[in-house]
Amino acid sequence: MNKFLSAFLLSVSSLYAQAQSTDSVMMKRIYNEVLTRGKCYENLDYLSNKIGGRLSGSLQAQQAVDYTFGVLKSYGFDSVYLQELMVPHWVRGAKEIGMIVKGTQQIPVHICALGNSIATPKDGLRAPVIEVRNFKELEAMGTERVKGKIVFFNRPMEPTHITTGRAYGEAGDQRGSGAIEAAKYGAVGVVVRSLTLANDTNPHTGMMRYVDSIPKIPACAISTKDADELSRLLKIRSAAVVSFFFKQNCEMLPDVKSYNVIAEMRGNEKPEEIVIAGGHLDSWDNGDGAHDDGAGVTQSMEALRLLKHLNYKPKRTLRCVLFMNEENGVKGGIKYADEATGTKHIAAIESDAGGFTPRGFGLDDSITIIMMQKWVPLFQPYSIDWIKQGWGGTDIGPLKKHGTVLIGYTPDSQRYFDYHHAAIDTFDKVNKRELELGAAAISSMLYLLSEYGIGK
Amino acid sequence: MNKFLSAFLLSVSSLYAQAQSTDSVMMKRIYNEVLTRGKCYENLDYLSNKIGGRLSGSLQAQQAVDYTFGVLKSYGFDSVYLQELMVPHWVRGAKEIGMIVKGTQQIPVHICALGNSIATPKDGLRAPVIEVRNFKELEAMGTERVKGKIVFFNRPMEPTHITTGRAYGEAGDQRGSGAIEAAKYGAVGVVVRSLTLANDTNPHTGMMRYVDSIPKIPACAISTKDADELSRLLKIRSAAVVSFFFKQNCEMLPDVKSYNVIAEMRGNEKPEEIVIAGGHLDSWDNGDGAHDDGAGVTQSMEALRLLKHLNYKPKRTLRCVLFMNEENGVKGGIKYADEATGTKHIAAIESDAGGFTPRGFGLDDSITIIMMQKWVPLFQPYSIDWIKQGWGGTDIGPLKKHGTVLIGYTPDSQRYFDYHHAAIDTFDKVNKRELELGAAAISSMLYLLSEYGIGK
């Protein structure tokens, strides 16, 4: 080999090794700090236990804005500010009542209204019930068999998918569009099997939709144990003798003013290139939103705090963005992306899959993956084994129109849907170290993106 | 390239691809079966909730032998049998009492006797207390300062180690040998900070040792919260005004007859080559031993059941081995290895790190690792990202003398020491899917070892 070339390659590779070593030293500092003096666990304790469920438009959602704004202010970033927006204001009202009615027998079941649903009539709604697994079965039944009935969507999440999010995605149409599809054939209400792989008595809420051209009918979720029982009874008796009763009192109120909360560390080499990390401040109202998405909120705050605390001077501009209204409208994500028009958001990281042990990062951009995969060895000592094709996140999704690379921080998925959108999504379900390791992973990714950009 | 060579390589590589595909089909069947009709979760429910803590020599340990023997019999293996051995029989007696005595004030603390420890005098033991972090500090204090005192070992597990087992290993000398070292300098008792990374009020028991040449003094574990409080008080007041009181009633009774439980599927091509998968039947007495090691027991049973149920005909002989007495003697592991003399145990897999999400396999044999790493792509769809240097397991350790390759099934380690050896190691701490994924991983590894051996 040519001596000059050889010397050049040697110097390049030694520069690279040096950079790798600087990076690994920085990451070690980040992880050491979070595991010994981390703040995210106590912040999550506050968000979950002092504030609790914080559905858009609620007092608690505003408290979450105030609290996180105050905490971020105290960390001494270059700036901390609010981004005003309007959000839907759906309220659940009094606790729902659900019953299977079998002849003269009434069997109480665990239900909750789906988010965005209308209420039942004041005295509740009772009708014969028919079970379907999907929209095709519903269509095959047609108006003749569906009219005047409550449609029971009972397709379980597929347990053989290893990534539970995939099973959630595949089962989601029943919850999201079940009421629209059933109403097309004259159904008077829908009951949807809770989207969870657990077999228990917790109903799991979540967003559903209406369209103006089709009558709006009330929709609730039923726990998996109760769904199995309802299905069993329907198999041994005809729909004529098994009916379903539910009463829910939810209501959509006028939109309310709310906020995204943003903190920034300005870049000192390429300040115009922006990298953000975020989660969503709002949560459903039935639990405390500890995993969904108190974890992502407190990890994003911690990710930026760690860099500030370690006196890191970012080359590019770094932001922590706490989005409002992911659960029932994504108004915060849309607002942030609209305001970002004309800026150069090179990458956005979202943490919205629970505070579990880190596994990897999912990217929606195949070119950037190739570049980023050389960072995998930096992450492997910290229980992150891959950077691969994957989903970014709902809140950062709207940034795609600006060409932003979307990065989903991906923790282990096995337990997530046990808690997701249910009353048991509480602080005690979050392990301190698992939460902290996630914060450090996001912080490290922010650091690397600040140092190297996305290589485009 | 030579045409023959080229054709040969093509046929080899196509054979290899075909084998890979057969293997991935088999693994998919294993995973589908466990995630839809798995038995390990209900077996663990029985072991944890119907039997509970099953310390060697106890009635519950015998019940665990009877129960697992019966279940394995029902699976229709070629043979199921017991291996008789003698085990130590240590009993805890009445619940321990612990107090910090500060002047006239008595502050109750959460303690438990360490396994193997002697009792305190009948009315308890009270003495001034001195805190040390390690044996070096103890030595520096010497007889002059230690004599007549209770030594408080308070070195926490290192939180910055990402693998918690490493932190456990590094802190273990205090618990294992603390009483021996302290007694050398005339101490009258030892209190050891619980080996956990959690900050709570659960004391964690575990094995300690005596040697005949040094006086035996009683040893207990104290919860981490109480350890921090004791340390704080010692910092603001001298040992002269802070003393410690504890009373424990444990006792070592004569050895008792017990059993390993073994099930076997005979190989039909190389029956003389044996591969085993196992966990330990005994547990500590304070909790239900759900993670430690009900998980490993039920996963090992399930690993073999899955292969049988799927009608797999093993090439090599496969065994599930449920070892007795891992916690305080390893008599089962020693017995099994002794009986294995003259046989060809090519590999042994142990699951004794909790029923958490799978991460990888740790091997103690660097040559076999190279061979096995080509299996990693088969495991990656199932959330197992690596096969690397690591620890096999305590029960299979004695097989090393026969040249057996030792393989540690390695789940995620973050939560393990929260529960380990404590009263909260109960069934509700185990996630069904995480347990099942582990059983399928072990089953898949048994399958691959049955098909290909260890390539030596």
Side-chain angles (χ1 to χ4, degrees), chain A residues 28 32 35-36 159-162 164 197 357-359 381-383 385-386 412 414-415 418 431 433-434 437, chain B residues 32 35-36 159-162 164 197 357-359 381-383 385-386 412 414-415 418 431 433-434 437:
Chain A
K28 181 74 183 143
N32 282 358
L35 289 168
T36 52
T160 64
H161 292 338
I162 305 303
T164 60
L197 287 155
T357 290
R359 300 304 304 252
Y382 303 104
S383 124
D385 292 304
W386 45 260
D412 195 78
Q414 296 310 318
R415 286 172 286 149
D418 293 1
N431 176 273
R433 288 177 61 85
E434 295 184 354
L437 290 174
Chain B
N32 282 358
L35 289 168
T36 52
T160 63
H161 292 338
I162 305 303
T164 60
L197 287 154
T357 289
R359 300 304 303 253
Y382 302 104
S383 121
D385 293 304
W386 45 260
D412 195 78
Q414 296 310 318
R415 287 172 286 149
D418 293 1
N431 176 274
R433 288 177 61 85
E434 296 185 354
L437 290 174

Side-chain angles (χ1 to χ4, degrees), chain A residues 262-326:
Chain A
I262 302 165
E264 179 174 298
M265 289 172 77
R266 201 114 45 232
N268 59 22
E269 284 187 16
K270 298 190 171 185
E272 74 287 0
E273 293 196 7
I274 301 169
V275 182
I276 73 167
H280 63 86
L281 265 181
D282 64 310
S283 79
W284 285 105
D285 55 325
N286 45 351
D288 295 334
H291 276 294
D292 184 14
D293 185 25
V297 163
T298 54
Q299 285 174 330
S300 304
M301 293 166 72
E302 183 74 353
L304 207 64
R305 185 195 73 83
L306 289 164
L307 298 177
K308 174 75 188 167
H309 179 84
L310 295 171
N311 212 19
Y312 172 64
K313 307 293 178 208
K315 291 185 180 167
R316 292 166 174 83
T317 294
L318 302 179
R319 286 186 189 163
C320 156
V321 182
L322 310 180
F323 297 92
M324 184 52 71
N325 186 232
E326 189 267 354

Side-chain angles (χ1 to χ4, degrees), chain A residues 108-372:
Chain A
V109 292
H110 303 81
I111 64 156
C112 64
L114 290 180
N116 203 31
S117 174
I118 60 167
T120 55
K122 218 175 142 207
D123 295 329
L125 173 70
R126 180 180 161 174
V129 56
I130 50 163
E131 175 177 345
V132 297
R133 308 265 295 186
N134 51 52
F135 297 159
K136 206 167 167 160
E137 283 183 27
L138 182 72
E139 190 186 350
M141 286 186 167
T143 306
E144 197 184 339
R145 294 184 56 196
V146 173
K147 195 174 163 68
K149 303 226 174 77
I150 291 173
V151 173
F152 168 37
F153 290 100
N154 192 31
R155 186 170 83 254
M157 278 171 61
E158 176 54 50
T160 64
H161 292 338
I162 305 303
T163 302
T164 60
R166 184 179 160 202
Y168 177 72
E170 287 178 7
D173 59 347
Q174 307 169 90
R175 192 190 76 199
S177 311
I180 297 171
E181 295 303 316
K184 284 183 188 170
Y185 304 102
V188 294
V190 301
V191 186
V192 183
R193 182 188 182 89
S194 284
L195 297 183
T196 177
L197 287 155
N199 182 236
D200 62 20
T201 58
N202 294 296
H204 294 241
T205 192
M207 181 65 173
M208 56 83 68
R209 285 177 297 278
Y210 293 119
V211 287
D212 285 338
S213 55
I214 293 168
K216 296 180 178 182
I217 58 175
C220 69
I222 185 170
S223 83
T224 49
K225 260 194 201 299
D226 292 315
D228 288 344
E229 177 62 7
L230 177 54
S231 181
R232 191 183 68 81
L233 290 171
L234 286 169
K235 276 188 190 70
I236 54 174
R237 292 167 180 261
S238 74
V241 289
V242 177
S243 65
F244 194 79
F245 169 89
F246 70 119
K247 177 167 159 31
Q248 56 191 33
N249 314 281
C250 37
E251 194 179 355
M252 186 66 84
L253 302 174
D255 285 4
V256 166
K257 192 191 287 181
S258 191
Y259 305 92
N260 292 329
V261 182
I262 302 165
E264 179 174 298
M265 289 172 77
R266 201 114 45 232
N268 59 22
E269 284 187 16
K270 298 190 171 185
E272 74 287 0
E273 293 196 7
I274 301 169
V275 182
I276 73 167
H280 63 86
L281 265 181
D282 64 310
S283 79
W284 285 105
D285 55 325
N286 45 351
D288 295 334
H291 276 294
D292 184 14
D293 185 25
V297 163
T298 54
Q299 285 174 330
S300 304
M301 293 166 72
E302 183 74 353
L304 207 64
R305 185 195 73 83
L306 289 164
L307 298 177
K308 174 75 188 167
H309 179 84
L310 295 171
N311 212 19
Y312 172 64
K313 307 293 178 208
K315 291 185 180 167
R316 292 166 174 83
T317 294
L318 302 179
R319 286 186 189 163
C320 156
V321 182
L322 310 180
F323 297 92
M324 184 52 71
N325 186 232
E326 189 267 354
E327 295 294 3
N328 57 341
V330 201
K331 300 296 186 198
I334 293 165
K335 175 70 179 183
Y336 185 84
D338 285 350
E339 295 288 318
T341 305
T343 67
K344 196 171 171 188
H345 275 69
I346 59 168
I349 310 164
E350 181 153 354
S351 170
D352 186 18
F356 306 97
T357 290
R359 300 304 304 252
F361 290 96
L363 262 77
D364 76 335
D365 182 295
S366 52
I367 297 165
T368 316
I369 290 174
I370 296 166
M371 189 279 288
M372 281 195 188

Side-chain angles (χ1 to χ4, degrees), chain B residues 1-2 47 72 98 102 109 171 186 195 198 211 238 253 275 290 342 360:
Chain B
M1 197 189 292
N2 178 305
L47 208 55
L72 288 170
K102 195 183 77 175
V109 292
L195 296 183
V211 287
S238 76
L253 302 174
V275 182

